[in-house]
Amino acid sequence: MNVAVCADVGSTYTKVAVVDLDGGGLVSAAAAPTTVGSDVLHGLDAAVGAATVGLTSGEVPWLVCSSAGGGLRLAVIGYEPLVTAQAGRRVGLSAGADVVHVAAGRLGRAELAALRAARPDVVLLVGGTDGGDAETLTHNATRLARARWRVPVVLAGNGDVRDDLHGLLVGAGVPVTVADNVLPRIGVLAPVSARSAIRQVFLRHVIGGKGLSRGGRFTRLVRAATPDAVLSGVEVLADVAGGDLVVVDVGGATTDVYSVLTPDERAAGPGREVAGELWRARTVEGDLGVRWSAPGVVRAAVEERLVAVTEADGLAAKAAVRAADPGFLPADAAGRVVDARIAALAATVALRRHARGVGTGERAGRDLRDVRLLVGSGGVLRHASDNDAAGVLDAVLTDHAGGWALPRAARSVVDTDYVLAAAGMLAEEHQVAARGLLRSLLG
């Protein structure tokens, strides 16, 4: 059988899917705890071994993505907070990064100190449209050069000074990768080149620098940050489904929301966003998760008036137990109901922020009225009963008090076999297999 091993090395669990490359079917799947405390290859090899039991021996390609060790931490430095800095932030999120810092304007001593304090893995340096302002971008590049900056930089600003600034940074010993301008013209967002550059920097510098494994084998295996792979899978899913969709991925530490919208007249005209519209987008809610960030879910739910204070007290105690033990597994049905409740609150708050643009730094939210498909992902949904998983997604689709326009006619499915990340890794070289795998998700 012509198969590939697709693996996602997460912070808690490593998930493996064996995929038929000819037909796109799921051959087998398995999971094992991620062995961050020793060497992540131990958990990866265990999960692959469990998924490939009984398969014919031979050379099988491995496609691996990873968010272990905290994933990719990105800082964005732009010219103006509502234009190039915002554009850079959106591009960073689309590249699978956790955007930990956004700065706008000229870097001074205080701004440079704040940048260091954010501990980014990569800096996305942007500013100015092509032919526009070059002074701020030049100043910031010069400041990094003089500070002997050693964190990798992706330079994706005004193309008129790109070559000169590249030479300046290289001469100062700054590891720099050049990409096309993320905002070549006002209202035009061009993420592809910068997203690719961030991915390459992640593979070259970040994976190997996190101390996740001894030797170079793990670094050679990893092809993408997990959120980047999932977004690629979501893009293929949108093409297969033929319409607007939303994916909500409820994790232990974060809840990620991906949406794919069909470009229309909103892309131009007087109402357009000056920072550009990203029709395939992702937001990350770092305070919402069912393990590490469970207490944040309860706090956010109280602020959003999704739970009464009387319920919040009891829920907060249960959330604290989960935060103290990220490997916590409910021992009975009552515990699983609590997990589902926390997941429903996390998904609802995350969708509110994504759609309204509140709490994400966005000037405007996302118009999700035409969404026809809502996909739920994450271990808490995959391991829940059908009723509990459906209840989590129903909470999102019936959030009439959320201050956002609900999808008018959406059906919901759960990525129980964890195929989105696998399809995203397959998409570039095995498009037929990726599309076939996602058709199974659609039923």
Side-chain angles (χ1 to χ4, degrees), residues 286-300:
D287 61 331
L288 306 177
V290 293
R291 291 295 180 265
W292 290 274
S293 304
V297 175
V298 179
R299 289 192 295 269

Side-chain angles (χ1 to χ4, degrees), residues 297-368:
V297 175
V298 179
R299 289 192 295 269
V302 171
E303 292 172 1
E304 291 280 346
R305 299 184 179 180
L306 285 166
V307 297
V309 175
T310 51
E311 181 194 0
D313 290 341
L315 200 57
K318 296 178 175 68
V321 171
R322 286 155 172 78
D325 179 14
F328 173 86
L329 292 175
D332 52 24
R336 291 189 288 274
V337 169
V338 173
D339 265 9
R341 177 62 171 154
I342 295 174
L345 293 172
T348 303
V349 174
L351 258 295
R352 285 185 176 188
R353 293 176 180 176
H354 184 86
R356 295 187 318 212
V358 176
T360 65
E362 296 284 347
R363 294 181 63 204
R366 307 277 288 171
D367 186 348
L368 306 179

Side-chain angles (χ1 to χ4, degrees), residues 22-381:
D22 295 324
L26 183 66
V27 177
S28 62
T34 299
T35 47
V36 176
S38 54
D39 189 315
V40 293
L41 283 174
H42 298 158
L44 175 60
D45 288 337
V48 172
T52 55
V53 170
L55 294 182
T56 304
S57 61
E59 191 68 27
V60 176
W62 286 27
L63 311 178
V64 180
C65 60
S66 175
S67 58
L72 169 60
R73 297 172 58 87
L74 181 77
V76 178
I77 303 173
Y79 163 52
E80 200 275 336
L82 295 181
V83 186
T84 52
Q86 185 59 255
R89 178 184 177 278
R90 294 176 181 175
V91 170
L93 287 170
S94 77
D98 179 9
V99 181
V100 296
H101 183 75
V102 177
R106 295 188 171 211
L107 289 176
R109 181 177 298 176
E111 290 77 15
L112 193 60
L115 177 63
R116 292 188 189 279
R119 297 181 295 104
D121 297 315
V122 181
V123 172
L124 178 60
L125 183 58
V126 299
T129 56
D130 288 342
D133 175 82
E135 292 184 6
T136 302
L137 180 63
T138 300
H139 170 89
N140 290 340
T142 303
R143 186 76 185 189
L144 292 177
R146 290 176 178 172
R148 300 188 180 186
W149 189 258
R150 292 298 178 263
V151 173
V153 171
V154 172
L155 176 63
N158 188 334
D160 289 5
V161 294
R162 182 166 47 221
D163 291 343
D164 290 342
L165 297 184
H166 176 254
L168 169 71
L169 291 167
V170 169
V174 179
V176 59
T177 301
V178 170
D180 295 339
N181 195 348
V182 299
L183 195 75
R185 301 189 304 279
I186 290 295
V188 177
L189 188 58
V192 175
S193 178
R195 179 177 167 180
S196 176
I198 292 169
R199 181 187 300 120
Q200 293 307 313
V201 171
F202 173 76
L203 298 179
R204 285 200 310 267
H205 298 281
V206 179
I207 285 292
K210 286 186 176 290
L212 298 171
S213 178
R214 291 180 289 275
R217 180 177 164 228
F218 184 65
T219 303
R220 292 192 297 271
L221 285 172
V222 174
R223 296 197 171 198
T226 297
D228 188 24
V230 173
L231 182 58
S232 295
V234 171
E235 291 172 342
V236 178
L237 178 61
D239 294 336
V240 172
D244 293 3
L245 62 83
V246 169
V247 175
V248 57
D249 186 359
V250 184
T254 69
T255 296
D256 297 358
V257 180
Y258 305 79
S259 62
V260 177
L261 308 180
T262 304
D264 58 17
E265 65 275 4
R266 291 170 293 182
R272 71 178 180 176
E273 284 229 51
V274 292
E277 185 72 56
L278 200 59
W279 297 102
R280 302 184 173 196
R282 166 180 171 256
T283 52
V284 180
E285 307 306 332
D287 61 331
L288 306 177
V290 293
R291 291 295 180 265
W292 290 274
S293 304
V297 175
V298 179
R299 289 192 295 269
V302 171
E303 292 172 1
E304 291 280 346
R305 299 184 179 180
L306 285 166
V307 297
V309 175
T310 51
E311 181 194 0
D313 290 341
L315 200 57
K318 296 178 175 68
V321 171
R322 286 155 172 78
D325 179 14
F328 173 86
L329 292 175
D332 52 24
R336 291 189 288 274
V337 169
V338 173
D339 265 9
R341 177 62 171 154
I342 295 174
L345 293 172
T348 303
V349 174
L351 258 295
R352 285 185 176 188
R353 293 176 180 176
H354 184 86
R356 295 187 318 212
V358 176
T360 65
E362 296 284 347
R363 294 181 63 204
R366 307 277 288 171
D367 186 348
L368 306 179
R369 288 173 294 178
D370 292 333
V371 163
R372 293 293 183 265
L373 180 67
L374 171 65
V375 181
S377 184
V380 66
L381 291 178

